[in-house]
Amino acid sequence: MLEYDFMRTAFLAAFLVAVVCGPVGWFLVLRGQTFASHALSHVGFAGATGALLIGLSPLTGLTAGALGAGVLMGLAGDRVAGRDVMIGLVLSVAMGAGALFLHFLTHSASAATALLFGDILGISSSMLGWLAILSGGCLLALGGMARPLLFASLQPELAEAKGVRTALLDVLFLALVAIATAECAQITGVLLVFTLMVAPAAAILRLGLPPFVGLLAAAGLAVVEAWGGLMLSWQTDYPTSFWIAVLGGVGFLLAGLVASWLNGHAQQAASDQAGALDMNDL
């Protein structure tokens, strides 16, 4: 499998994307903003198809579209919260615009499938370089804002009272989400961004790990699921995005079982300890 250049490129691309999607997704789930990756991927789809139409790289259009939408969402802040109808209309218009652009792309009939469901085996060396640059920049930025972002995510009112610029953090974080979404779409496609952006992070958060450990674990689980999807795709000839989605669902269910077992064990230990104290009182 690894004797082929395209497979080595695919594994490296999956690693570069997953190590960003895991930590970014961890904060995304913690902050209750999982809708953002879905929304940004839809808007990015319009940008990607528009870029293809004028002869640019779809990654360029996807990143630009998602980044612009992410910044606008961050600036809007709470004003967009709860406006499901407005958000749904914007996403529908964005997908409709993408469909219109694809209609004019008669020379590239496979572009729709690649954008919607990903084409990890078709990633070129030049795109791999861009993914490395984007991933490195995202990780550096996330590392710089991790502590105030965690503070603002857990206790927003107290963080603002302590002088944390929560509004600026919202914009910067959603810009990071936009870039991570654009990268993730190269692996899973815009319709399955949740499989790598949200599923591993949600599974790790169910375990109740400390923040730093949780961030590392989310990145590790995302890499495992991405690489596992590639290996299963090689063995079965089924789409990689399908296997990543399956592994994401399985990982989430297993994390729930482990969390339930740990909670039950902790409750039993506490009950035993309380019983021992009562016996000592007697």
Side-chain angles (χ1 to χ4, degrees):
M1 172 168 57
L2 293 178
E3 63 266 22
Y4 298 101
D5 287 337
F6 73 92
M7 287 301 296
R8 291 196 295 270
T9 299
F11 271 97
L12 185 53
F15 173 80
L16 291 172
V17 172
V19 294
V20 172
C21 287
V24 172
W26 189 89
F27 276 109
L28 200 63
V29 176
L30 180 68
R31 293 167 64 86
Q33 293 179 312
T34 53
F35 79 93
S37 61
H38 184 65
L40 294 175
S41 66
H42 280 61
V43 177
F45 174 71
T49 52
L52 278 172
L53 190 60
I54 61 177
L56 297 177
S57 164
L59 178 59
T60 302
L62 186 57
T63 304
L67 187 58
V71 171
L72 289 175
M73 288 172 61
L75 291 173
D78 293 337
R79 290 191 294 274
V80 298
R83 299 187 179 181
D84 296 337
V85 174
M86 181 185 298
I87 294 172
L89 286 173
V90 170
L91 299 188
S92 299
V93 170
M95 289 296 288
L100 176 64
F101 295 152
L102 283 177
H103 173 74
F104 294 111
L105 285 171
T106 54
H107 64 283
S108 183
S110 63
T113 302
L115 288 172
L116 293 174
F117 301 105
D119 185 19
I120 188 173
L121 299 181
I123 291 179
S124 63
S125 298
S126 60
M127 183 179 291
L128 187 65
W130 280 111
L131 289 177
I133 293 172
L134 292 174
S135 295
C138 282
L139 290 176
L140 286 174
L142 186 62
M145 70 170 70
R147 289 178 65 87
L149 184 61
L150 180 62
F151 188 20
S153 300
L154 297 176
Q155 296 180 311
E157 294 83 5
L158 181 58
E160 193 166 2
K162 292 287 187 178
V164 177
R165 302 177 64 183
T166 56
L168 178 60
L169 275 177
D170 287 343
V171 174
L172 293 177
F173 176 66
L174 283 174
L176 280 183
V177 173
I179 296 174
T181 299
E183 290 189 77
C184 187
Q186 305 305 307
I187 307 298
T188 64
V190 297
L191 295 182
L192 296 173
V193 165
F194 262 41
T195 59
L196 204 56
M197 180 75 74
V198 174
I204 295 301
L205 277 167
R206 298 189 80 175
L207 301 177
L209 299 174
F212 181 72
V213 178
L215 287 169
L216 292 179
L221 182 57
V223 171
V224 168
E225 291 180 2
W227 282 358
L230 269 171
M231 289 186 285
L232 289 169
S233 176
W234 175 267
Q235 295 295 329
T236 63
D237 202 30
Y238 293 169
T240 303
S241 55
F242 162 74
W243 284 119
I244 295 176
V246 169
L247 291 175
V250 170
F252 184 77
L253 292 176
L254 289 177
L257 294 176
V258 172
S260 297
W261 181 83
L262 291 175
N263 289 335
H265 186 70
Q267 289 175 2
Q268 183 62 44
S271 177
D272 292 344
Q273 185 178 9
L277 290 174
D278 290 341
M279 291 297 295
N280 289 334
D281 291 340
L282 294 175

